Amino acid sequence: MKKLGILGGMGPESTLLYYEQIAMRYNARFATGMFPLMTIEALDMYEAVGYCKAGEFDKLLDYLLKGVRNLEAAGAEVGVLASNTPHVVFDELQSRAKIPLISIVETTCCAVASRGFGRVAWLGTGFAMGHPYFKEAFARRGIEAVSPEGRDLERIDAIIADELEFGVILEESRREIDAVLEKMRRESGIEAAVLGCTELPLMYADALAPVFLFDTVELHIDAIMDYLFEDN
């Protein structure tokens, strides 16, 4: 069994989801029952997001790399960032890490491409919706990723930061996001939407959206499980 290292805490709610889903899925693969070897390094989401908003990507890279080094020291053989936003420095982080890292962004881009969608909405933190890194990853596969603008962008960012990061799920907020997606389908021609924040899937655990949704957490965990079992 390969030992998995999770760089989490960005935020805590999704880190819990990663741990639970990976452990349960792993256990289900064995008739006798087994749980995976796993270590979690929890970082401060406020510090990580602060570096993003300030454009201090060298500091963000150093901060994440310290976390990866701790995962490596704990014996992790593969690592993941349980958050979309810090992936803005993923390529640089992978080049300096000693273990392979599984990208949530690249995993999602592959999934969208496999379904043949050409234009999708990218929802996430205000920073992630506004930074070209995430849209460029889709563009390399011939997919146009668009994000809300103005008040719609600000409102989704606030729902994530003030509610979902603390495990607060409000029906009213979900309806607001649905309205944004419906508007984007009508005005921007989106065919689907990517939940590009690892807390956003909490909003749709028991609800449907106006368009097809790509859950980045679920897709990431699928890729993690494939890696853990590839030699078994």
Side-chain angles (χ1 to χ4, degrees), residues 15-192:
T15 303
L16 292 172
L17 184 59
Y18 270 80
Y19 177 80
E20 178 183 45
Q21 288 295 314
I22 292 169
M24 292 302 104
R25 288 201 205 183
Y26 199 97
N27 180 268
R29 293 286 291 267
F30 295 94
T32 56
M34 295 180 68
F35 287 109
L37 300 173
M38 197 184 319
T39 186
I40 298 174
E41 177 74 7
L43 301 182
D44 180 358
M45 66 179 182
Y46 294 110
E47 184 164 355
V49 173
Y51 290 141
C52 289
K53 290 182 176 179
E56 296 177 327
F57 299 120
D58 288 343
K59 291 183 179 179
L60 175 63
L61 178 60
D62 289 342
Y63 186 57
L64 297 177
L65 187 60
K66 288 178 183 178
V68 171
R69 292 286 182 251
N70 288 338
L71 294 178
E72 294 169 345
E77 298 168 86
V78 58
V80 298
L81 281 68
S83 179
N84 282 273
T85 299
H87 275 71
V88 68
V89 295
F90 180 86
D91 295 342
E92 295 88 343
L93 185 65
Q94 177 63 93
S95 70
R96 295 172 64 176
K98 299 176 182 177
I99 58 175
L101 305 175
I102 302 173
S103 167
I104 193 171
V105 176
E106 290 300 318
T107 296
T108 302
C109 288
C110 289
V112 175
S114 72
R115 294 292 296 263
F117 290 116
R119 189 174 177 84
V120 299
W122 170 272
L123 304 184
T125 62
F127 170 83
M129 287 189 285
H131 198 281
Y133 172 84
F134 302 92
K135 296 177 178 63
E136 288 169 355
F138 287 93
R140 287 194 291 271
R141 290 168 176 79
I143 302 165
E144 185 176 8
V146 295
S147 293
E149 299 178 346
R151 184 191 177 281
D152 291 338
L153 182 150
E154 293 172 359
R155 182 58 187 138
I156 291 175
D157 183 60
I159 290 171
I160 293 170
D162 302 334
E163 299 172 20
L164 296 177
E165 294 288 5
F166 300 97
V168 177
I169 302 170
L170 301 177
E171 177 71 14
E172 178 183 352
S173 295
R174 185 185 60 77
R175 288 197 297 267
E176 289 185 69
I177 295 176
D178 285 348
V180 171
L181 290 175
E182 184 59 49
K183 176 181 176 182
M184 294 183 73
R185 179 168 65 177
R186 185 176 62 253
E187 298 181 0
S188 302
I190 63 166
E191 303 164 277

